[in-house]
Amino acid sequence: MPEPLYRRIAEDLLRRIESGEMSPGSQLPTELDLRESYGASRNTVRDALKWLITRGLVETRPGQGTFVVEEIDPFITTLSADPETGLGGGEGAAYLSEVRATGREPEATVPRVEIHQASGVVAAELRVDEATSVVSRHQRRLIDHTPYSLQTSFYPMDLVTRGATKLIEAADIEEGTVSYLSRTLGIKQAGYRDMITVRAPDRNETAFFKLPDNGRVAVFENFRTAFDQQGKPFRLTVTVYPADRNEFVINVGDVPARALRPGRPGAGGRRPGGQDSVSGSVGRNSREGLA
Amino acid sequence: MPEPLYRRIAEDLLRRIESGEMSPGSQLPTELDLRESYGASRNTVRDALKWLITRGLVETRPGQGTFVVEEIDPFITTLSADPETGLGGGEGAAYLSEVRATGREPEATVPRVEIHQASGVVAAELRVDEATSVVSRHQRRLIDHTPYSLQTSFYPMDLVTRGATKLIEAADIEEGTVSYLSRTLGIKQAGYRDMITVRAPDRNETAFFKLPDNGRVAVFENFRTAFDQQGKPFRLTVTVYPADRNEFVINVGDVPARALRPGRPGAGGRRPGGQDSVSGSVGRNSREGLA
DNA sequence: GCAAATTTGTTCGTATGTATT
DNA sequence: CAATACATACGAACAAATTTG
């Protein structure tokens, strides 16, 4: 009772991909060729390809063929505060310089400003009633002309009426909103809390990030709530990052300057699935529940 | 030319799930029933179900039927340092108490200790040659009897020969390794750096976490490098967390004590995919590239 | 404990549509 | 326009897992 045929075909192709026999970007034999070489029906071959597709190893292009996927050069966002500027990390103002520091070219759209009534999460995080008006500022961000993240910040409308009128202008706030709010209203960012989750992309995200519509690539979602000196939240920033091109770093305490990713983890070529990996080794004679 | 039939069926089922008409845990009509009610072939119905499966909305159980998935209560790991203890965050010693603080029951296996030669990532992060011996201590961790994470820590063998002999004992170090290394060798943890990625689970992880073998649920992988007062790395901890049951929090600067998740983000019921969500709204009249 | 019924899983064959070259 | 290659759809049969009688 061996494994089903489509699995055996998939595993064989997997082996050939991981061994380097088929390199990233190269084309696999056509479905009809595979049908012959494995002596299976075309549908079975397609089942094998689907198995590889959901694992992100290959992609199909109608009219062209099936290809080994090429990895995207990931961008690393540091979520903890910059020891220099004191605060920040992956946010609007700092974004452009952070990306440029890696020798890549950042782009960000002009903020799209909207006025909403605070809904569930926004109201809860900003600690305002659900009826309250909030300002949202939304930006799409790219690196080397590839979409890398979507960011939306929410501010209580209160801040605008108290004088921070630039918040409702559809233009960049060059100095950064932290600096701007400090200067105009005396609101200082004393700290922030990030809440990170992973979920499937929605329709908009799939379209903007050009993700395969098979729901394979997940997105990070980071909810950042910024607090002032009194511990009062004054901003909620929601940023969405496709997981196939983004990584995160958090520095706590005294950490030596990064040696610019000597050998980036995560990468290191394709992972040999099945062997004991760095983290794995969950018991070679596994399957025993717990001790 | 509307959307393909299997997609229309899938979207209809999606709507019925999101509307609450079919609640989490409930059973969908059988494939044969769906075949009749939609007037499609069984294969087409199965294509629709596959589409929902890869998006994590339903699951099939051979011999039983197709069910709307139930969400798992996520555990939130705080990666930043505890302001009290100074350091830590999701690590061995602190793990049990962190979980208990949420009213849930933690379990951790006895560490499995192994001696390896430092390989790629481990050697690079610990800044030792590839030939050097390192000690690894591996634990499986559960919450309420459900597997939640896998953790492996690597230490240069050096530390053992200098006197930290407990590192090669297959037993818990009650006080925590940070405290132990400080007491025996005077090595103080001055800080640490976390590098977070998301990837597909390997075979071991799929088995241990009981993930669907369709590669849908991704895992977080956190590489934590701990540094001593001289900025020298003395430990690398790799922790793997299934993304369907884990979230992360990072506190930077002064952040008020959390109001114990007033309304947890991430959740809020099922996401209405397609509508403008909190983060989304990437242009209702979207598809225009960039301004 | 076994047999039958139910339900999903695998595999084949075939035909036609759509995208790209 | 033609050829190529993947996408969708139908029908059919048997296998495997689970529940039920």
Side-chain angles (χ1 to χ4, degrees), chain A residues 10-24 26 38 52 57 68 268-273 275:
Chain A
E11 312 252 16
D12 185 61
L13 290 170
L14 172 63
R15 184 187 53 72
R16 289 163 68 182
I17 290 170
E18 282 176 348
S19 73
E21 183 185 333
M22 290 161 160
S23 56
S26 68
Y38 285 107
L52 292 170
L57 292 161
V68 182
R270 239 165 254 287
R271 297 174 49 83
Q275 305 296 42

Side-chain angles (χ1 to χ4, degrees), chain A:
Chain A
M1 216 97 332
E3 292 205 324
L5 180 54
Y6 81 93
R7 275 294 286 274
R8 295 206 305 275
I9 296 175
E11 312 252 16
D12 185 61
L13 290 170
L14 172 63
R15 184 187 53 72
R16 289 163 68 182
I17 290 170
E18 282 176 348
S19 73
E21 183 185 333
M22 290 161 160
S23 56
S26 68
Q27 181 169 9
L28 271 68
T30 68
E31 293 176 353
L32 292 185
D33 287 342
L34 292 171
R35 175 179 122 283
E36 301 222 334
S37 50
Y38 285 107
S41 75
R42 186 177 160 226
N43 278 335
T44 300
V45 167
R46 279 176 63 76
D47 281 344
L49 292 178
K50 266 178 213 156
W51 191 87
L52 292 170
I53 287 170
T54 62
R55 279 160 188 72
L57 292 161
V58 306
E59 62 186 354
T60 55
R61 302 182 206 139
Q64 296 189 53
T66 306
F67 301 83
V68 182
V69 299
E70 302 192 67
E71 280 184 32
I72 306 178
D73 188 16
F75 181 70
I76 301 178
T77 301
T78 300
L79 294 176
S80 48
D82 185 319
E84 302 290 318
T85 69
L87 289 171
E91 245 164 286
Y95 174 71
L96 298 176
S97 56
E98 280 176 27
V99 174
R100 283 204 193 90
T102 66
R104 304 174 70 174
E105 185 194 345
E107 285 173 272
T109 56
V110 172
R112 193 186 61 200
V113 178
E114 294 178 357
I115 314 287
H116 300 276
Q117 292 202 325
S119 65
V121 180
V122 178
E125 287 299 309
L126 291 179
R127 291 200 217 130
V128 298
D129 291 329
E130 297 240 345
T132 314
S133 284
V134 295
V135 182
S136 80
R137 297 172 62 85
H138 178 79
Q139 274 190 316
R140 291 179 268 179
R141 311 193 300 191
L142 300 86
I143 297 176
D144 293 338
H145 311 296
T146 301
Y148 265 73
S149 53
L150 286 168
Q151 185 166 83
T152 310
S153 289
F154 298 87
Y155 303 85
M157 184 56 113
D158 183 37
L159 299 181
V160 179
T161 50
R162 281 163 57 199
T165 54
K166 273 196 184 174
L167 287 181
I168 52 172
E169 287 176 27
D172 266 319
I173 299 178
E174 287 290 343
E175 58 186 316
T177 53
V178 171
S179 162
Y180 174 66
L181 289 176
S182 167
R183 196 165 50 71
T184 55
L185 300 180
I187 293 178
K188 285 194 174 38
Q189 178 167 307
Y192 55 84
R193 182 181 62 228
D194 282 342
M195 161 82 77
I196 300 175
T197 64
V198 162
R199 59 168 173 79
D202 66 24
R203 237 190 216 59
N204 288 321
E205 292 154 359
T206 299
F208 174 63
F209 293 122
K210 298 184 178 55
L211 301 177
D213 87 327
N214 56 26
R216 191 187 57 75
V217 179
V219 294
F220 287 99
E221 191 169 37
N222 184 9
F223 292 81
R224 171 169 295 182
T225 310
F227 300 92
D228 66 13
Q229 308 96 310
Q230 283 77 45
K232 186 173 171 305
F234 66 92
R235 184 190 55 200
L236 169 66
T237 298
V238 182
T239 314
V240 176
Y241 307 85
D244 64 351
R245 65 197 75 165
N246 284 283
E247 299 180 4
F248 298 93
V249 160
I250 301 156
N251 294 312
V252 176
D254 286 334
V255 175
R258 211 151 72 261
L260 238 19
R261 316 204 273 108
R264 167 167 55 86
R270 239 165 254 287
R271 297 174 49 83
Q275 305 296 42
D276 272 358
S277 61
V278 181
S279 56
S281 61
V282 187
R284 320 165 183 283
N285 34 23
S286 106
R287 200 154 304 250
E288 3 93 14
L290 248 191

